[in-house]
Amino acid sequence: MDIRLDGIEIDGRLHAYPIPLADLEALFDEEPDKIDGLGGRRAGFWSWRETGLTAKHTDGVHVLNLRLKVDGPAHRVRIEGRPFDEEFGPTGPTYPSRDLGDGYVGVRRTDPGPGQHVADIIVEQKVRRPKRKKAAPAKKKPTPVPDAVEFKDLNFKLLVVQDLMYDKGLLEPAFDLGEFIDGFADRDIDADTEGHAPIPEALAYFAELPVPRAMLSEVVALEQDGGNDVYLQIAPLWSGEDDSFDVTDFSDVELLPNLRSMTLTGVDEETLESLRKRGIEAELL
């Protein structure tokens, strides 16, 4: 594999960004495991276990990022024709990254120690949004509503917003990061360079977003996965590899009288059991 500015070369063939999932599927004899979007969303993962390759997507068609598991030093991977270790070195911090113009490349290393080496290579295309002619600045803050609920945990609130805004279409208007950026006058937000982590202004929008108490009875099931629309609107290039959106306080379940099930990431068995004692079917993704 050669990671290039204009795409990824695999076995001598260049796959230009954005790489179609079908092109990857045709490369291998192995049938991929397809964990596609939950709750009507199209985002998900395709995984070739024997090959050690996982592709994340958000539209069911194109790859957002590729993760390649490697054994020992990543000598089989090159960057613009150079040996991978010349770019990253055999040791160093976990998750260093490089900007390659149309994409990014990063690594996750094994545990620190004398035998430390690269464990995973992540290649991610940039999300390009068309430039729009700036109109009058859009409202940066949501309109207040009566009887809005106050959540103790913002990441729990994001799960509720995912269900009400993006899955059910009840909480309107649906937040669109591109439109938000176009109408934001305080500073220039570059989602291509900032989108690996939550963009502060987008996160602040959801923190201030009023959720009417009357809507909460509509929430029956909450599903948390890296392809949640609300996460991609806050951090469009988020890899899903850190705790940015982990819920730490689940006391907000008391606000949801009809909540029956939760599918979660980043929680331990003790937390799951405490939710089950509340009558909620709680499982890990």
Side-chain angles (χ1 to χ4, degrees), residues 7-85:
I8 302 174
E9 185 178 305
I10 303 175
D11 292 337
R13 179 185 172 188
L14 178 65
H15 299 267
Y17 304 114
I19 301 171
L21 288 162
D23 283 7
L24 287 182
E25 190 170 23
L27 278 174
F28 310 112
D29 295 332
E30 177 189 359
E31 185 71 20
D33 294 330
K34 299 179 182 180
I35 307 172
D36 288 328
L38 302 173
R41 299 184 297 278
R42 302 187 70 187
F45 299 86
W46 287 19
S47 179
W48 291 263
R49 295 180 182 274
E50 294 181 9
T51 306
L53 187 71
T54 299
K56 178 181 178 181
H57 68 86
T58 58
D59 61 2
V61 179
H62 296 102
V63 175
L64 177 65
N65 69 39
L66 284 175
R67 175 181 298 170
L68 178 67
K69 291 188 176 296
V70 295
D71 297 320
H75 59 275
R76 294 175 295 155
V77 177
R78 305 176 76 82
I79 298 180
E80 287 290 305
R82 301 189 308 275
F84 188 86
D85 282 347

Side-chain angles (χ1 to χ4, degrees), residues 17-246:
Y17 304 114
I19 301 171
L21 288 162
D23 283 7
L24 287 182
E25 190 170 23
L27 278 174
F28 310 112
D29 295 332
E30 177 189 359
E31 185 71 20
D33 294 330
K34 299 179 182 180
I35 307 172
D36 288 328
L38 302 173
R41 299 184 297 278
R42 302 187 70 187
F45 299 86
W46 287 19
S47 179
W48 291 263
R49 295 180 182 274
E50 294 181 9
T51 306
L53 187 71
T54 299
K56 178 181 178 181
H57 68 86
T58 58
D59 61 2
V61 179
H62 296 102
V63 175
L64 177 65
N65 69 39
L66 284 175
R67 175 181 298 170
L68 178 67
K69 291 188 176 296
V70 295
D71 297 320
H75 59 275
R76 294 175 295 155
V77 177
R78 305 176 76 82
I79 298 180
E80 287 290 305
R82 301 189 308 275
F84 188 86
D85 282 347
E86 286 185 10
E87 184 76 10
F88 285 95
T91 61
T94 296
Y95 296 123
S97 64
R98 300 286 186 273
D99 188 340
L100 293 180
D102 283 335
Y104 298 91
V105 61
V107 303
R108 182 179 68 83
R109 302 186 189 278
T110 56
D111 293 335
Q116 184 189 42
H117 58 266
V118 174
D120 297 280
I121 299 167
I122 304 100
V123 183
E124 189 163 281
Q125 74 170 72
K126 288 185 178 179
V127 176
R128 302 281 183 188
R129 292 183 174 85
K131 295 291 184 181
R132 300 172 184 169
K133 184 178 179 181
K134 286 221 174 187
K139 294 180 180 178
K140 292 181 292 184
K141 295 184 179 182
T143 304
V145 300
D147 200 25
V149 176
E150 184 172 339
F151 290 84
K152 295 180 181 178
D153 190 294
L154 175 55
N155 286 337
F156 187 94
K157 179 182 181 180
L158 293 180
L159 291 179
V160 174
V161 170
Q162 172 66 42
D163 184 67
L164 295 175
M165 178 178 287
Y166 295 104
D167 294 345
K168 292 189 171 77
L170 298 175
L171 189 58
E172 297 180 317
F175 177 86
D176 179 270
L177 180 62
E179 293 178 359
F180 178 81
I181 290 174
D182 285 344
F184 195 83
D186 291 358
R187 74 176 182 93
D188 289 332
I189 300 173
D190 187 347
D192 284 340
T193 58
E194 301 178 46
H196 288 274
I199 294 173
E201 292 83 358
L203 190 62
Y205 179 95
F206 285 101
E208 298 174 11
L209 177 71
V211 179
R213 185 176 299 274
M215 282 190 186
L216 298 184
S217 62
E218 300 292 332
V219 179
V220 177
L222 294 176
E223 297 173 340
Q224 180 183 37
D225 70 70
N228 278 1
D229 301 87
V230 69
Y231 300 156
L232 297 178
Q233 294 298 333
I234 296 171
L237 298 176
W238 183 54
S239 67
E241 293 300 317
D242 58 43
D243 61 358
S244 294
F245 297 110
D246 284 358

